[in-house]
Amino acid sequence: MSVLSFHEVSVRYGAHTVLNGVSLEVPAGRTVGLVGESGCGKSTLARAAVGLAPVTGGHILLDGRPVPNRGRRPVQMVFQDPYSSLDPRMTVGESIAEALPERLPKKARQAEIARLLALVHLDAARAGDLPGRLSGGQRQRVALARALAARPEVILADEITSALDVSVQGAVLNLIRDMRRDLGLSMLFISHDLAVVRYVADHVAVLHDGEIVEQGPTARVLGDPRHDYTRHLLAAALPLKEQT
Ligand SMILES: Nc1ncnc2c1ncn2[C@@H]1O[C@H](COP(=O)(O)OP(=O)(O)O)[C@@H](O)[C@H]1O
Ligand SMILES: [Mg+2]
């Protein structure tokens, strides 16, 4: 199990400071929720950890060392949109095989694909399907299997249930909880949806305009918020909950 830590991380695009001195730790085997309104910099923080956004200040460490971004990548990102994250011309099995860290003989490869599909609760027979035959929830499971293929220590899940029907969101969230328990993964779980974060995260950090304004145990932060912005987020979420 591994610890991912952000130390005073800043990201600037030209004159635009997107993240300003963000410090956050994802402890070994725990799930940390990152919440905040659209545009506050959530995705940028995750992207910075995998070398997809320019870190202009501070540093990001995995078990105290820079995050490797070549060869086997122990930090894997899963994105919001399962429709664009899978190549429509590749079968599920081919997509997963492509993400394996080493080339395996055919038999071993098929066994590994079946193992990964089982981890995300999909039938091994799905390996022969093109993504077009799968539902959004099934595609997101395949995207998770692809991420797991690299045998990661840390998963950065960026709004992975936001594009799914409410009816399948719960199943994907349960899968996330199982993955943490069974694989000992550390996870940064990004969502603008506080109800979803409340369900999966042990600890939550609130990002506002590129800065963390509050963080702590999920029940404390969402149950007894100390910062006005957290209260504002909770108040904004409340009417939605009452409607449903
Ligand atoms: N590649 C980029 N170039 C310039 N600005 C960017 C880039 N990526 C993100 N931004 C800006 O950074 C801010 C935060 O974006 P993002 O991290 O996607 O927010 P969130 O995921 O919280 O909605 C936005 O203002 C966005 O326009
Ligand atoms: Mg985002």
Side-chain angles (χ1 to χ4, degrees), residues 11-14 16-19 34-47 52-54 158-159 190 207 210:
V11 171
R12 254 192 324 271
Y13 286 108
H16 183 190
T17 298
V18 175
L19 294 175
L34 182 64
V35 302
E37 286 165 307
S38 178
C40 70
K42 302 181 299 298
S43 295
T44 301
L45 189 67
R47 292 166 61 84
L52 294 174
D158 189 3
E159 303 271 8
I190 297 173
L207 190 64

Side-chain angles (χ1 to χ4, degrees), residues 3-11 19 21-25 45 48-50 53-67:
V3 182
L4 180 70
S5 51
F6 298 83
H7 301 268
E8 295 287 324
V9 171
S10 295
V11 171
L19 294 175
V22 171
S23 294
L24 177 66
E25 182 171 288
L45 189 67
V50 290
V55 176
T56 47
H59 43 275
I60 304 171
L61 302 176
L62 181 70
D63 296 328
R65 289 185 293 273
V67 179

Side-chain angles (χ1 to χ4, degrees), residues 24 31-35 187-190 197 201-206 218:
L24 177 66
T31 300
V32 173
L34 182 64
V35 302
M187 188 162 337
L188 182 66
F189 189 92
I190 297 173
V197 167
D202 313 296
H203 183 101
V204 63
V206 181
T218 304

Side-chain angles (χ1 to χ4, degrees), residues 213-214 225-234:
V213 296
E214 177 163 11
R226 309 258 158 95
H227 196 281
D228 281 347
Y229 181 70
T230 312
R231 288 192 201 106
H232 160 78
L233 278 185
L234 282 160

Side-chain angles (χ1 to χ4, degrees), residues 177-222:
R177 294 196 351 168
D178 292 351
M179 279 169 41
R180 178 186 53 180
R181 189 192 59 215
D182 300 340
L183 306 176
L185 289 166
S186 315
M187 188 162 337
L188 182 66
F189 189 92
I190 297 173
S191 181
H192 68 279
D193 185 336
L194 298 179
V196 162
V197 167
R198 197 193 296 270
Y199 189 65
V200 296
D202 313 296
H203 183 101
V204 63
V206 181
L207 190 64
H208 175 46
D209 217 0
E211 297 186 13
I212 290 184
V213 296
E214 177 163 11
Q215 58 177 306
T218 304
R220 206 284 292 153
V221 173
L222 300 184

